[in-house]
Amino acid sequence: MKRLLVAFGLAICTFLSIVWFQVRIANASLPATQVHPLPPTLERWQDPSASGDYFSEIKPSKIGYLIWSEFPIAVYVQRPGMPVWASASARRFQQWVDAVLPAIQEWNPYLPMVVVDRPEKADIAIWRSRPPLQVTPAGPYARAALVSYEIYQKRSSKRPGGILSHKYTMFISPDLSWPYIQAAARHELGHALGIWGHSRVETDALYFSQVRNPPAISPRDINTLKRIYQQPTQLGWPIASGSR
Ligand SMILES: [Zn+2]
């Protein structure tokens, strides 16, 4: 059985940039690029305010748009290693968990997610950890949150070659205060659900910079998400069996 790690990406949510690290596409028998049916949760979504979107800011990866086609999406959230009554650090850890979980619930009406108890089962794993320092010309810069993905060959009982799939690892710093933990989780989950770009409007959850009063998910965020899920991708389609 050959592993198939074809690509890897990293969103850095400071100021303008999403930086892409693309590793070689290792296999010639990747699925063709196709459009999945629109998830019913997004099909139902209508924006009465017609507030537009920022789809033009979204960049597809080399394998197309990074969208999910199997629901619910499994999300793991790291938990304290000891009971909350045992120590102050466990209580702080639990406060972090309690700030992250609502962000999952906020996106849930648009794309169904389920919280799982083990990271191995997760499509998106969220860790309470400081992201690595970012080196800039001005010196090292502490990031609040970071999300990265990898592409892999998911086993399938129906498809001998498996399904081209993706999974995410997310770090959200323990140093943030409560509203910012939730805002960071909301923002990074937006990336993990497929919004690989940033809004230039301060009232969108995917605004490129941290703001004093973090915005909720906006109609523009969902309008953008809905357009993304109508785009083609190689993800979620079977890999030809017999590929070497
Ligand atoms: Zn971002």
Side-chain angles (χ1 to χ4, degrees):
M1 188 67 67
K2 286 220 161 177
R3 58 147 189 79
L4 179 77
L5 175 65
V6 294
F8 160 73
L10 186 67
I12 297 174
C13 298
T14 50
F15 305 103
L16 299 169
S17 61
I18 281 186
V19 177
W20 290 87
F21 294 89
Q22 291 280 5
V23 188
R24 71 208 159 88
I25 301 286
N27 195 310
S29 61
L30 293 176
T33 300
Q34 298 174 71
V35 178
H36 287 281
L38 188 60
T41 42
L42 284 178
E43 190 159 20
R44 281 197 296 272
W45 161 255
Q46 301 292 339
D47 173 16
S49 58
S51 48
D53 60 59
Y54 49 91
F55 179 72
S56 62
E57 304 291 332
I58 308 305
K59 296 172 187 68
S61 77
K62 284 189 178 166
I63 55 164
Y65 287 81
L66 296 168
I67 66 182
W68 300 97
S69 55
E70 280 181 32
F71 301 97
I73 302 160
V75 184
Y76 169 77
V77 180
Q78 194 184 10
R79 304 295 170 126
M82 59 177 75
V84 291
W85 46 261
S87 74
S89 69
R91 276 194 293 281
R92 282 195 298 276
F93 201 129
Q94 187 60 43
Q95 285 164 3
W96 177 93
V97 173
D98 292 343
V100 170
L101 290 175
I104 298 170
Q105 291 313 313
E106 287 175 43
W107 286 106
N108 202 49
Y110 310 108
L111 290 171
M113 284 179 270
V114 63
V115 176
V116 295
D117 58 0
R118 299 181 67 84
E120 311 86 80
K121 296 182 196 165
D123 299 310
I124 302 170
I126 307 176
W127 302 93
R128 181 179 184 260
S129 176
R130 286 179 196 94
L133 287 175
Q134 182 179 0
V135 179
T136 71
Y141 178 86
R143 286 184 286 236
L146 185 72
V147 63
S148 66
Y149 68 84
E150 63 182 82
I151 307 294
Y152 72 107
Q153 189 172 9
K154 189 178 194 173
R155 289 185 185 183
S156 162
S157 55
K158 296 182 194 139
R159 303 287 186 176
I163 306 283
L164 191 67
S165 301
H166 64 329
K167 61 168 69 178
Y168 283 88
T169 302
M170 189 184 298
F171 298 108
I172 297 177
S173 174
D175 303 329
L176 299 170
S177 59
W178 172 77
Y180 296 106
I181 295 169
Q182 191 171 341
R186 182 190 299 127
H187 178 105
E188 303 300 329
L189 272 170
H191 287 315
L193 294 175
I195 307 177
W196 274 81
H198 284 129
S199 166
R200 295 163 194 256
V201 175
E202 206 173 296
T203 48
D204 296 333
L206 273 288
Y207 183 60
F208 64 81
S209 187
Q210 198 178 69
V211 292
R212 187 178 298 269
N213 296 305
I217 296 168
S218 71
R220 285 166 43 83
D221 291 317
I222 305 304
N223 291 343
T224 304
L225 194 67
K226 186 169 180 174
R227 284 193 69 182
I228 290 167
Y229 274 75
Q230 296 171 72
Q231 305 306 316
T233 184
Q234 289 176 279
L235 285 176
W237 300 106
I239 297 165
S241 60
S243 63
R244 277 174 284 147

